[in-house]
């Protein structure tokens, strides 16, 4: 049974939103993913969200670009925590979506991550779920250790090569 529901406004959101799915998979968290839309499919969006809790979902991640009302509409229909992902669309580099998602009215919050930061939405969802799940908390701790090891590896290489050679190596790898 899925614990996290990922909902997005369009298939054009999928390449970015799939990063959330990948991270949930890495952390061994079950999820489901749907395309719906606050504007083009309002009934589907409402139905999905209203029934989310009874189907066992514990956290919802909603991504949208432009006039990004989807996360807010989702939050209006449930008391589950909703994490919003503002997506870069056709104008203003995603700032329109960021403001639309973050500026919710009092009483109906959407926990908003950075523009296109779908991976962070998955990490936040995992952190919420880990409050009552010790195994997951351990997996999250390992994930954070991996992040720290990545930094350490980069710094070690920088100390070995110096900045000029380091950047040259990065360019060569492109
Ligand atoms: C929003 O409009 C979607 O979330 C998407 O980011 C954006 C553009 O959708 P398409 O026109 O590509 O379907 O509803």
């Amino acid at each position: 049974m899925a614990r996290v529901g990922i909902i997005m406004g369009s298939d054009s959101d999928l390449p970015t939103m799939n990063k959330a799915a990948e991270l949930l998979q890495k952390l061994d968290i079950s999820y489901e993913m749907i395309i719906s839309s606050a504007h083009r499919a309002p009934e589907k969006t409402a139905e999905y969200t209203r029934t989310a809790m009874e189907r066992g979902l514990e956290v919802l991640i909603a991504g949208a670009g432009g006039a990004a009302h989807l996360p807010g509409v989702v939050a209006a229909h449930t008391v589950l925590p909703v994490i919003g992902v503002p997506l870069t669309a056709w104008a203003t580099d995603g700032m329109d979506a960021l403001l639309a998602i973050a500026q919710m009215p009092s009483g109906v919050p959407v926990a908003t991550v950075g523009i296109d930061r779908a991976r962070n939405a998955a990490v936040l969802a995992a952190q919420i779920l880990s409050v009552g799940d010790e195994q997951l908390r351990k997996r999250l701790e390992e994930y954070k250790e991996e992040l720290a090891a990545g930094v350490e590896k980069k710094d070690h290489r920088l100390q070995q090569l110096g900045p000029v050679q380091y950047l040259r190596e990065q360019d060569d790898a492109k």
Side-chain angles (χ1 to χ4, degrees), residues 8-13 35-40 63-71 85 87-90 97:
M8 68 202 84
S10 170
D11 62 353
S12 58
D13 301 329
I35 297 169
S36 192
S37 165
H39 308 116
R40 295 165 176 161
H69 297 125
L70 182 67
V85 186
L87 298 170
T88 308
W90 59 93

Side-chain angles (χ1 to χ4, degrees), residues 69-80:
H69 297 125
L70 182 67
V73 168
V74 165
H77 286 294
T78 184
V79 293
L80 290 175

Side-chain angles (χ1 to χ4, degrees), residues 14-174:
L14 186 55
T16 303
M17 293 305 289
N18 194 45
K19 292 178 184 166
E22 285 170 355
L23 196 62
L24 291 173
Q25 245 164 36
K26 180 182 167 70
L27 292 169
D28 202 17
I29 296 170
S30 54
Y31 68 90
E32 62 184 32
M33 187 185 253
I34 72 157
I35 297 169
S36 192
S37 165
H39 308 116
R40 295 165 176 161
E43 292 306 329
K44 176 180 169 148
T45 300
E47 174 67 14
Y48 177 78
T49 310
R50 276 198 215 108
T51 57
M53 201 183 295
E54 69 201 40
R55 285 182 292 104
L57 293 170
E58 296 170 78
V59 182
L60 297 174
I61 296 174
H69 297 125
L70 182 67
V73 168
V74 165
H77 286 294
T78 184
V79 293
L80 290 175
V82 177
I83 302 168
V85 186
L87 298 170
T88 308
W90 59 93
T92 70
D93 291 330
M95 278 305 290
D96 42 4
L98 174 64
L99 295 175
I101 296 174
Q103 296 288 3
M104 287 294 290
S106 175
V108 192
V110 171
T112 309
V113 296
I115 296 166
D116 294 335
R117 294 293 180 181
R119 230 177 255 133
N120 264 358
V123 175
L124 183 53
Q127 289 177 176
I128 292 168
L129 294 172
S130 77
V131 171
D133 184 336
E134 198 181 330
Q135 293 299 319
L136 176 55
R137 199 170 64 230
K138 285 190 185 131
R139 293 200 293 280
L140 266 168
E141 280 163 3
E142 281 165 16
Y143 171 69
K144 299 283 177 167
E145 280 163 20
E146 259 178 52
L147 293 182
V151 172
E152 200 43 45
K153 194 173 158 198
K154 286 176 183 171
D155 183 48
H156 182 69
R157 198 79 186 129
L158 177 63
Q159 302 315 319
Q160 270 184 332
L161 299 179
V164 174
Q165 188 59 28
Y166 188 101
L167 289 172
R168 202 168 287 150
E169 197 176 83
Q170 270 192 333
D171 280 347
D172 291 347
K174 278 178 195 161

